[in-house]
Amino acid sequence: MAGPLLSSTKPTSSSISSSPSSSSSSRLFLLVTLLPLSLACFAFILQWRGGLDDPVTHWSTDHHEFPGMGSIHEKRSLTRSGSDSGCVDILGQSRTPSFPYFRNWNFDYKSDLKPRICITTSTSAGLEQTLPWIFFHKVIGVSTFYLFVEGKAASPNVSRVLESIPGVRVIQRTKELEEQQARSRIWNETWLASFFYKPCNYELFVKQSLNMEMAITMAQDDGMEWIIHLDTDELIHPSGSDEYSLRRLLGNVSADVDAVVFPNYESSVERDDIKEPFSEVSMFKKNYDHLPREVYFRNYKEATRGNPNYFLTYGNGKAAARVQDHLRPNGAHRWHNYRKTPNEVKLEEAAVLHYTYPRFSDLTSRRDRCGCKPTKVDVKRCFMLEFDRAAFIIASTANSEEMLQWYREHVVWADGQLKLKLLRKGILTRIYAPMVIIQELKEAGVFSSVVTSAHMSFSKNSSTADSTLSITREASQATGRRRVLEFHLDLDGESQALAVPPQSPPGLEAKTIMKNVYKEFDILE
């Protein structure tokens, strides 16, 4: 009995071999369980302490980020109202406005960009339009802006904000400025003479040319290399460059080229309740210069949709000119030179995006700016393009309901099948880059931060700001006066090339359209 009993208490060889295996499995299971927990705890501690710098950011010399990729704390600090001290807050985030497109990139970066590009404009728009326009062009490489302001843009609150932005010079339309421009050599020349002493659009065209002349002088003094005249309802679309950069685009232009032409694309709004065109419009009609000839004319009638022309307004684009001696404007759309015929090239991909009548309110706002009569003779005296004439007549003679119906028929693209067909043909195109950039700027708090900073600075240093502003304006006016009087009238025939007005794209005759408008609203012939 003892033998079997004793033998039963001895461990078998199988039990001996299984014991170490079981122990190893337990340890492995424990390791697999604890390792992720340890890593999670470590990550939590890093996040709680604020994280570590990515070493790659220290090795790289190019710290580019896409718009809106700043940290959540950065965006919150831009939009959060804080003390007026301007000190660093408890999160370590400076309250100085910084641009989210590049890491730690402040607004004043003019010395960092080559070539140096400036834009000049004549505007009466408010901040809701002007700020997105300025900062979009800052993103693509423009360093300096010469803003000739009137109306809402010249009001103290708006001007104060614009003047606070580095690289922006605001020129008020004062009596002194008008006296300076009255002595311009342009009045003694013939290339702009056909536009003199006419109201509304003609008056604006002359004013733009005089402002461009002064902007050339400012650009030379500031060491600019390229100058562009652009309205505040237009955005440069630098397609065709290695990156979405106007600086890169113009930097690649051959040194023997004096001017480059950006064909314009026209906005095609899809709703009648657009409030912020730059952020809400993505569909554009391509320019004739960027389309095959047969595609353009084969789809002309469908693309025109009963309007006087393929585009609602102009179709001859805008130009950038190399800043050099004897440069002069040639109307709002082109540049010329007093000593030579400029070597001008047309870009094959880049364009100017023109946001034309994108809001229903544009009908009445244009009407209110012109004191013309809604007659056939008077609208021709005031407006250069047929659609502007038709829109003025509608806004002057129809009630609100009739105006809205006309706007939907002639401006809004509501026909889905027609849009799809013309998108497939290439007549219409979708462009999202400006919309995305401007939306990201807005969400990052750039615009609100600029407004807040300008008013905070004014409230602290109002007397200093007033005196500085006065000195700056006097200096800029003196510069303009000095350079205008330095000009000589030794002109040759080539320098007298006539100013290029806003022109419609190539098209079929559309006189019937205007006749129907006159008949419908009993307009006098």
Side-chain angles (χ1 to χ4, degrees), residues 391-408:
F392 180 82
I393 289 173
I394 296 298
S396 302
T397 59
N399 59 41
S400 298
E401 195 173 314
E402 291 171 330
M403 276 195 294
L404 182 58
Q405 182 61 32
W406 187 89
Y407 183 79
R408 288 170 176 167

Side-chain angles (χ1 to χ4, degrees), residues 55-68:
V56 175
T57 62
H58 298 289
W59 301 334
S60 174
T61 59
D62 190 24
H63 304 302
H64 292 193
E65 284 185 350
F66 288 107

